Amino acid sequence: MMMNADKITEHMPVVGSDGEHLGTVDHVDGQRIKLTKSDPMSGGVHHYINLDMVQSVDTAVRLSLPAAQARMEWVSEGV
């Protein structure tokens, strides 16, 4: 199910289905969410996750997969 990207706003936390923090939204870039590089989980690099990983959006972007799996699937800027 594709989520309405309009609900995703800058600086929202992104959490896995396990409740673990994955990152912080920088902005939505097409069909991907760009995560801030200033988040402690980022390692100082921008990462992108696909919108199709999003389960729901409320006070946070909640993914349909655990944070560890999302980290294996994210794309790092410049890679």
Side-chain angles (χ1 to χ4, degrees):
M1 175 175 71
M2 182 61 69
M3 293 304 303
N4 182 351
D6 294 341
K7 294 181 179 182
I8 301 171
T9 60
E10 189 176 322
H11 303 301
M12 278 185 131
V14 179
V15 296
S17 60
D18 53 359
E20 184 180 334
H21 179 80
L22 178 72
T24 303
V25 173
D26 187 320
H27 66 273
V28 176
D29 183 12
Q31 295 300 307
R32 305 184 305 175
I33 300 171
K34 183 177 185 178
L35 302 177
T36 63
K37 64 181 180 180
S38 60
D39 188 276
M41 297 303 292
S42 73
V45 177
H46 286 291
H47 300 283
Y48 295 88
I49 57 171
N50 290 324
L51 283 174
D52 62 3
M53 292 183 185
V54 177
Q55 177 71 42
S56 64
V57 180
D58 46 50
T59 58
V61 177
R62 301 184 187 282
L63 303 181
S64 59
L65 62 165
Q69 184 179 348
R71 277 187 207 96
M72 290 189 308
E73 295 184 24
W74 69 15
V75 175
S76 301
E77 189 169 70
V79 176

Tab-separated table of all heavy atoms in Angstrom, residues 25-58:
chain	number	residue	atom	x	y	z
A	25	VAL	N	13.383	12.285	9.200
A	25	VAL	CA	13.076	12.736	7.846
A	25	VAL	C	13.775	14.056	7.542
A	25	VAL	O	13.678	15.013	8.314
A	25	VAL	CB	11.544	12.915	7.660
A	25	VAL	CG1	11.231	13.538	6.303
A	25	VAL	CG2	10.818	11.593	7.837
A	26	ASP	N	14.484	14.100	6.420
A	26	ASP	CA	14.988	15.350	5.864
A	26	ASP	C	13.879	15.890	4.955
A	26	ASP	O	13.359	16.969	5.174
A	26	ASP	CB	16.288	15.111	5.096
A	26	ASP	CG	16.963	16.393	4.630
A	26	ASP	OD1	16.244	17.310	4.185
A	26	ASP	OD2	18.193	16.471	4.691
A	27	HIS	N	13.508	15.093	3.944
A	27	HIS	CA	12.369	15.429	3.074
A	27	HIS	C	12.013	14.231	2.204
A	27	HIS	O	12.752	13.253	2.154
A	27	HIS	CB	12.669	16.660	2.208
A	27	HIS	CG	13.760	16.454	1.206
A	27	HIS	ND1	15.092	16.645	1.496
A	27	HIS	CD2	13.722	16.060	-0.092
A	27	HIS	CE1	15.822	16.378	0.423
A	27	HIS	NE2	15.016	16.011	-0.553
A	28	VAL	N	10.863	14.334	1.556
A	28	VAL	CA	10.449	13.308	0.606
A	28	VAL	C	11.013	13.696	-0.752
A	28	VAL	O	10.885	14.836	-1.195
A	28	VAL	CB	8.913	13.171	0.544
A	28	VAL	CG1	8.502	12.169	-0.519
A	28	VAL	CG2	8.371	12.752	1.908
A	29	ASP	N	11.666	12.740	-1.400
A	29	ASP	CA	12.319	12.952	-2.696
A	29	ASP	C	11.753	11.927	-3.679
A	29	ASP	O	12.234	10.798	-3.736
A	29	ASP	CB	13.828	12.789	-2.509
A	29	ASP	CG	14.632	13.048	-3.763
A	29	ASP	OD1	14.073	13.569	-4.745
A	29	ASP	OD2	15.834	12.718	-3.765
A	30	GLY	N	10.686	12.303	-4.394
A	30	GLY	CA	10.041	11.363	-5.310
A	30	GLY	C	9.368	10.256	-4.538
A	30	GLY	O	8.515	10.499	-3.696
A	31	GLN	N	9.766	9.005	-4.803
A	31	GLN	CA	9.193	7.843	-4.130
A	31	GLN	C	10.065	7.370	-2.964
A	31	GLN	O	9.940	6.236	-2.507
A	31	GLN	CB	9.001	6.698	-5.135
A	31	GLN	CG	7.987	7.016	-6.212
A	31	GLN	CD	6.607	7.294	-5.614
A	31	GLN	OE1	6.079	6.509	-4.849
A	31	GLN	NE2	6.031	8.426	-5.971
A	32	ARG	N	10.950	8.269	-2.506
A	32	ARG	CA	11.847	7.917	-1.401
A	32	ARG	C	11.800	8.979	-0.311
A	32	ARG	O	11.486	10.133	-0.572
A	32	ARG	CB	13.294	7.810	-1.893
A	32	ARG	CG	13.487	6.860	-3.038
A	32	ARG	CD	14.922	6.715	-3.439
A	32	ARG	NE	15.567	7.996	-3.761
A	32	ARG	CZ	16.855	8.126	-4.043
A	32	ARG	NH1	17.640	7.087	-4.039
A	32	ARG	NH2	17.359	9.303	-4.327
A	33	ILE	N	12.149	8.563	0.880
A	33	ILE	CA	12.331	9.488	1.997
A	33	ILE	C	13.830	9.651	2.200
A	33	ILE	O	14.550	8.657	2.355
A	33	ILE	CB	11.696	8.948	3.289
A	33	ILE	CG1	10.198	8.740	3.110
A	33	ILE	CG2	11.986	9.900	4.457
A	33	ILE	CD1	9.540	8.008	4.275
A	34	LYS	N	14.288	10.887	2.185
A	34	LYS	CA	15.687	11.177	2.475
A	34	LYS	C	15.785	11.409	3.979
A	34	LYS	O	15.043	12.212	4.543
A	34	LYS	CB	16.150	12.422	1.720
A	34	LYS	CG	17.614	12.743	1.916
A	34	LYS	CD	18.007	13.953	1.067
A	34	LYS	CE	19.488	14.238	1.143
A	34	LYS	NZ	19.854	15.379	0.279
A	35	LEU	N	16.689	10.698	4.630
A	35	LEU	CA	16.902	10.836	6.063
A	35	LEU	C	18.040	11.817	6.321
A	35	LEU	O	18.990	11.898	5.543
A	35	LEU	CB	17.228	9.472	6.683
A	35	LEU	CG	16.170	8.387	6.476
A	35	LEU	CD1	16.655	7.069	7.065
A	35	LEU	CD2	14.836	8.789	7.069
A	36	THR	N	17.936	12.557	7.420
A	36	THR	CA	18.963	13.542	7.746
A	36	THR	C	20.294	12.855	8.052
A	36	THR	O	20.328	11.758	8.603
A	36	THR	CB	18.578	14.400	8.967
A	36	THR	OG1	18.460	13.559	10.112
A	36	THR	CG2	17.281	15.163	8.738
A	37	LYS	N	21.368	13.529	7.703
A	37	LYS	CA	22.690	12.989	8.026
A	37	LYS	C	23.123	13.380	9.430
A	37	LYS	O	24.093	12.862	9.951
A	37	LYS	CB	23.731	13.408	6.989
A	37	LYS	CG	24.011	14.878	6.909
A	37	LYS	CD	25.047	15.141	5.824
A	37	LYS	CE	25.365	16.615	5.705
A	37	LYS	NZ	26.359	16.860	4.670
A	38	SER	N	22.372	14.290	10.073
A	38	SER	CA	22.708	14.714	11.431
A	38	SER	C	22.140	13.775	12.498
A	38	SER	O	22.520	13.866	13.660
A	38	SER	CB	22.197	16.141	11.678
A	38	SER	OG	20.788	16.202	11.514
A	39	ASP	N	21.260	12.845	12.111
A	39	ASP	CA	20.713	11.887	13.064
A	39	ASP	C	21.835	10.953	13.531
A	39	ASP	O	22.657	10.512	12.719
A	39	ASP	CB	19.600	11.066	12.398
A	39	ASP	CG	18.870	10.195	13.390
A	39	ASP	OD1	19.355	9.080	13.682
A	39	ASP	OD2	17.822	10.631	13.871
A	40	PRO	N	21.885	10.649	14.824
A	40	PRO	CA	22.950	9.758	15.329
A	40	PRO	C	23.020	8.396	14.627
A	40	PRO	O	24.095	7.809	14.521
A	40	PRO	CB	22.597	9.582	16.807
A	40	PRO	CG	21.785	10.778	17.153
A	40	PRO	CD	21.036	11.151	15.903
A	41	MET	N	21.892	7.891	14.105
A	41	MET	CA	21.880	6.586	13.446
A	41	MET	C	22.434	6.643	12.017
A	41	MET	O	22.680	5.611	11.406
A	41	MET	CB	20.454	6.026	13.400
A	41	MET	CG	19.858	5.754	14.767
A	41	MET	SD	20.823	4.621	15.781
A	41	MET	CE	20.617	3.121	14.862
A	42	SER	N	22.647	7.846	11.472
A	42	SER	CA	23.006	7.984	10.060
A	42	SER	C	24.487	7.788	9.762
A	42	SER	O	24.858	7.573	8.618
A	42	SER	CB	22.599	9.365	9.561
A	42	SER	OG	23.482	10.345	10.094
A	43	GLY	N	25.327	7.928	10.768
A	43	GLY	CA	26.763	7.855	10.528
A	43	GLY	C	27.270	9.040	9.721
A	43	GLY	O	28.287	8.951	9.053
A	44	GLY	N	26.531	10.171	9.753
A	44	GLY	CA	26.951	11.380	9.053
A	44	GLY	C	26.689	11.360	7.558
A	44	GLY	O	27.268	12.152	6.818
A	45	VAL	N	25.832	10.437	7.107
A	45	VAL	CA	25.541	10.282	5.677
A	45	VAL	C	24.024	10.300	5.472
A	45	VAL	O	23.287	9.767	6.292
A	45	VAL	CB	26.107	8.934	5.157
A	45	VAL	CG1	25.769	8.700	3.701
A	45	VAL	CG2	27.608	8.863	5.383
A	46	HIS	N	23.567	10.913	4.368
A	46	HIS	CA	22.156	10.835	4.011
A	46	HIS	C	21.847	9.417	3.535
A	46	HIS	O	22.624	8.814	2.804
A	46	HIS	CB	21.809	11.802	2.874
A	46	HIS	CG	21.763	13.229	3.279
A	46	HIS	ND1	20.782	13.755	4.101
A	46	HIS	CD2	22.564	14.263	2.975
A	46	HIS	CE1	20.996	15.039	4.272
A	46	HIS	NE2	22.081	15.375	3.605
A	47	HIS	N	20.707	8.888	3.964
A	47	HIS	CA	20.226	7.585	3.509
A	47	HIS	C	18.820	7.783	2.952
A	47	HIS	O	18.104	8.699	3.350
A	47	HIS	CB	20.177	6.572	4.658
A	47	HIS	CG	21.498	6.318	5.290
A	47	HIS	ND1	22.464	5.531	4.711
A	47	HIS	CD2	22.030	6.763	6.449
A	47	HIS	CE1	23.531	5.490	5.490
A	47	HIS	NE2	23.285	6.237	6.555
A	48	TYR	N	18.424	6.906	2.035
A	48	TYR	CA	17.095	6.952	1.425
A	48	TYR	C	16.381	5.639	1.671
A	48	TYR	O	16.990	4.574	1.547
A	48	TYR	CB	17.211	7.146	-0.088
A	48	TYR	CG	17.802	8.472	-0.492
A	48	TYR	CD1	19.177	8.625	-0.614
A	48	TYR	CD2	16.974	9.560	-0.768
A	48	TYR	CE1	19.717	9.840	-0.998
A	48	TYR	CE2	17.517	10.778	-1.161
A	48	TYR	CZ	18.885	10.910	-1.273
A	48	TYR	OH	19.430	12.114	-1.650
A	49	ILE	N	15.092	5.746	2.012
A	49	ILE	CA	14.251	4.556	2.110
A	49	ILE	C	13.057	4.753	1.178
A	49	ILE	O	12.595	5.872	0.971
A	49	ILE	CB	13.794	4.268	3.554
A	49	ILE	CG1	13.048	5.459	4.153
A	49	ILE	CG2	14.975	3.862	4.418
A	49	ILE	CD1	12.388	5.156	5.475
A	50	ASN	N	12.579	3.674	0.611
A	50	ASN	CA	11.443	3.736	-0.310
A	50	ASN	C	10.140	3.954	0.452
A	50	ASN	O	9.956	3.402	1.534
A	50	ASN	CB	11.344	2.450	-1.129
A	50	ASN	CG	12.467	2.327	-2.117
A	50	ASN	OD1	12.916	3.316	-2.684
A	50	ASN	ND2	12.921	1.117	-2.336
A	51	LEU	N	9.246	4.737	-0.151
A	51	LEU	CA	7.937	4.977	0.457
A	51	LEU	C	7.146	3.691	0.648
A	51	LEU	O	6.306	3.617	1.535
A	51	LEU	CB	7.121	5.965	-0.386
A	51	LEU	CG	7.509	7.431	-0.257
A	51	LEU	CD1	6.717	8.272	-1.247
A	51	LEU	CD2	7.303	7.940	1.157
A	52	ASP	N	7.416	2.679	-0.166
A	52	ASP	CA	6.660	1.431	-0.015
A	52	ASP	C	7.008	0.671	1.268
A	52	ASP	O	6.349	-0.308	1.609
A	52	ASP	CB	6.774	0.532	-1.246
A	52	ASP	CG	8.180	0.058	-1.553
A	52	ASP	OD1	9.115	0.361	-0.791
A	52	ASP	OD2	8.360	-0.618	-2.581
A	53	MET	N	8.024	1.132	2.007
A	53	MET	CA	8.346	0.549	3.311
A	53	MET	C	7.459	1.116	4.419
A	53	MET	O	7.429	0.582	5.523
A	53	MET	CB	9.803	0.848	3.695
A	53	MET	CG	10.847	0.172	2.876
A	53	MET	SD	12.459	0.613	3.570
A	53	MET	CE	13.552	-0.145	2.391
A	54	VAL	N	6.745	2.217	4.130
A	54	VAL	CA	5.959	2.909	5.146
A	54	VAL	C	4.632	2.190	5.391
A	54	VAL	O	3.867	1.949	4.463
A	54	VAL	CB	5.708	4.379	4.735
A	54	VAL	CG1	4.828	5.080	5.770
A	54	VAL	CG2	7.030	5.119	4.550
A	55	GLN	N	4.390	1.877	6.647
A	55	GLN	CA	3.137	1.239	7.063
A	55	GLN	C	2.099	2.299	7.399
A	55	GLN	O	0.944	2.194	7.012
A	55	GLN	CB	3.388	0.344	8.277
A	55	GLN	CG	2.146	-0.317	8.836
A	55	GLN	CD	1.613	-1.395	7.920
A	55	GLN	OE1	2.382	-2.164	7.367
A	55	GLN	NE2	0.316	-1.450	7.746
A	56	SER	N	2.521	3.321	8.185
A	56	SER	CA	1.602	4.371	8.602
A	56	SER	C	2.387	5.621	8.988
A	56	SER	O	3.605	5.574	9.171
A	56	SER	CB	0.745	3.907	9.785
A	56	SER	OG	1.556	3.655	10.919
A	57	VAL	N	1.645	6.725	9.086
A	57	VAL	CA	2.243	7.997	9.494
A	57	VAL	C	1.322	8.626	10.529
A	57	VAL	O	0.125	8.794	10.284
A	57	VAL	CB	2.411	8.960	8.291
A	57	VAL	CG1	3.028	10.280	8.744
A	57	VAL	CG2	3.249	8.317	7.194
A	58	ASP	N	1.863	8.940	11.705
A	58	ASP	CA	1.133	9.686	12.728
A	58	ASP	C	2.105	10.723	13.270
A	58	ASP	O	2.461	11.626	12.539
A	58	ASP	CB	0.519	8.763	13.792
A	58	ASP	CG	1.499	7.700	14.303
A	58	ASP	OD1	2.622	8.049	14.674
A	58	ASP	OD2	1.125	6.511	14.341
